[in-house]
Amino acid sequence: MALGLKCFRMFHPAFRNYLAASIKPISEVTLKTVHERQHGHRQYVAYSAVPVRHFATKKAKAKGKGHSQTRVNINAALVEDIINLEEVNEEMKSVIEALKDNFNKTLNIRTSPGSLDKIAVVTADGKLALNQISQISMKSPQLILVNMASFPECTAAAIKAIRESGMNLNPEVEGTLIRVPVPQVTREHREMLVKLAKQNTNKAKDSLRKVRTNAMNKLKKSKDTVSEDTIRLIEKQISQMADDTVAELDRHLAVKTKELLG
């Protein structure tokens, strides 16, 4: 130990400082803007807070197993000329809000008139929400009425949409009046709603992937004017935002599943 310390002191001071710095953990990544012109464009360069490579010991790896890697936190204002991260974040949040709205309106233990409102009906004018072409009311706790008098030509399409809504509904028709018996709250009905919740969550994740892909494609257009390190840093930020959104979607699914199963 004494011999090792003696050898360490014999090194040039600059090299000793380099070795000392190498044992410090990287706590963050810094993004700086270099104010110079190259080919008529502003240049962006990413710098690591400590420009050294660290090698984790087996003990450190075991301790850190299961924990997330160092997170990126880019100031959106610094990269607004490259991509609008705030806009990307809002688009991802809208995916979460759409799923929450879907859960609240269509996935309830007891079917209500509001559950039928947003059922998409294929008409000659395209897909329309059921409540746009009908009057929906609750006749009794066991029966919902859908009056198609205003759009009688859409009655057949409405029946088909209700039957295929995934809510375990079996409508019956009397002229332009659709009678929808409310399903009994059985274990099978609960499990069916949970299955539908998972399907809707997967659709939300598909929408999220589109948001992420669009953001990455916008970022690629700046590769000729922005450093590779900066591009990678922003890509990591976008992926991190998407991962956080997926975790939030899964959390809402878990809460809804618990509610539905009772």
Side-chain angles (χ1 to χ4, degrees):
M1 178 69 181
L3 180 60
L5 182 59
K6 184 177 181 181
C7 292
F8 180 78
R9 289 172 177 170
M10 291 174 65
F11 288 129
H12 189 278
F15 187 59
R16 289 205 308 270
N17 292 338
Y18 173 86
L19 292 177
S22 67
I23 65 173
K24 296 179 181 179
I26 296 178
S27 58
E28 60 181 5
V29 179
T30 304
L31 182 68
K32 294 183 179 179
T33 303
V34 178
H35 293 285
E36 63 180 43
R37 293 281 177 174
Q38 182 175 343
H39 305 299
H41 299 284
R42 180 180 293 178
Q43 300 296 305
Y44 294 84
V45 182
Y47 298 91
S48 59
V50 182
V52 294
R53 185 177 180 180
H54 303 288
F55 298 90
T57 63
K58 290 183 178 180
K59 184 177 180 180
K61 287 181 179 179
K63 183 178 180 181
K65 190 174 182 180
H67 293 277
S68 59
Q69 297 179 347
T70 304
R71 291 176 63 84
V72 176
N73 187 16
I74 298 176
N75 186 334
L78 287 178
V79 296
E80 62 182 1
D81 291 341
I82 306 172
I83 189 170
N84 191 333
L85 287 178
E86 291 182 354
E87 183 178 287
V88 175
N89 187 48
E90 287 301 317
E91 290 179 1
M92 291 185 178
K93 283 183 178 179
S94 69
V95 172
I96 297 175
E97 292 304 316
L99 182 68
K100 290 166 60 178
D101 187 61
N102 175 274
F103 281 177
N104 292 334
K105 290 184 177 179
T106 66
L107 294 177
N108 299 296
I109 295 299
R110 295 190 179 278
T111 305
S112 64
S115 301
L116 278 63
D117 284 350
K118 300 304 178 182
I119 291 179
V121 182
V122 179
T123 71
D125 297 321
K127 288 186 177 181
L128 297 174
L130 183 59
N131 65 349
Q132 290 182 288
I133 57 176
S134 68
Q135 293 181 340
I136 306 172
S137 60
M138 196 90 180
K139 184 176 182 180
S140 70
Q142 292 78 35
L143 184 65
I144 296 175
L145 297 180
V146 181
N147 192 331
M148 300 294 299
S150 299
F151 295 87
E153 69 278 10
C154 298
T155 302
I159 293 172
K160 184 175 184 292
I162 294 170
R163 188 172 287 123
E164 296 177 356
S165 65
M167 290 189 282
N168 195 30
L169 303 175
N170 295 297
E172 303 167 355
V173 63
E174 294 180 2
T176 58
L177 187 65
I178 301 174
R179 301 165 63 88
V180 185
V182 176
Q184 292 184 346
V185 183
T186 62
R187 185 68 183 181
E188 181 181 6
H189 179 61
R190 290 174 181 270
E191 291 175 350
M192 182 276 301
L193 291 175
V194 170
K195 183 179 179 180
L196 188 60
K198 291 179 180 178
Q199 291 175 353
N200 291 342
T201 302
N202 288 334
K203 289 179 181 179
K205 290 179 180 179
D206 288 339
S207 299
L208 176 63
R209 276 190 286 270
K210 291 179 181 178
V211 173
R212 181 185 181 279
T213 299
N214 290 338
M216 291 297 190
N217 288 338
K218 288 181 182 178
L219 189 58
K220 288 178 181 178
K221 294 179 181 179
S222 301
K223 283 192 173 181
D224 293 336
T225 58
V226 181
S227 71
E228 292 183 5
D229 287 342
T230 301
I231 292 292
R232 283 195 293 268
L233 194 60
I234 299 175
E235 285 178 342
K236 185 174 180 181
Q237 174 79 68
I238 294 171
S239 295
Q240 179 179 287
M241 291 161 60
D243 291 342
D244 290 345
T245 304
V246 168
E248 186 71 5
L249 293 173
D250 287 337
R251 187 184 71 81
H252 286 294
L253 174 60
V255 171
K256 194 64 181 182
T257 298
K258 184 177 180 181
E259 173 193 321
L260 294 173
L261 293 179

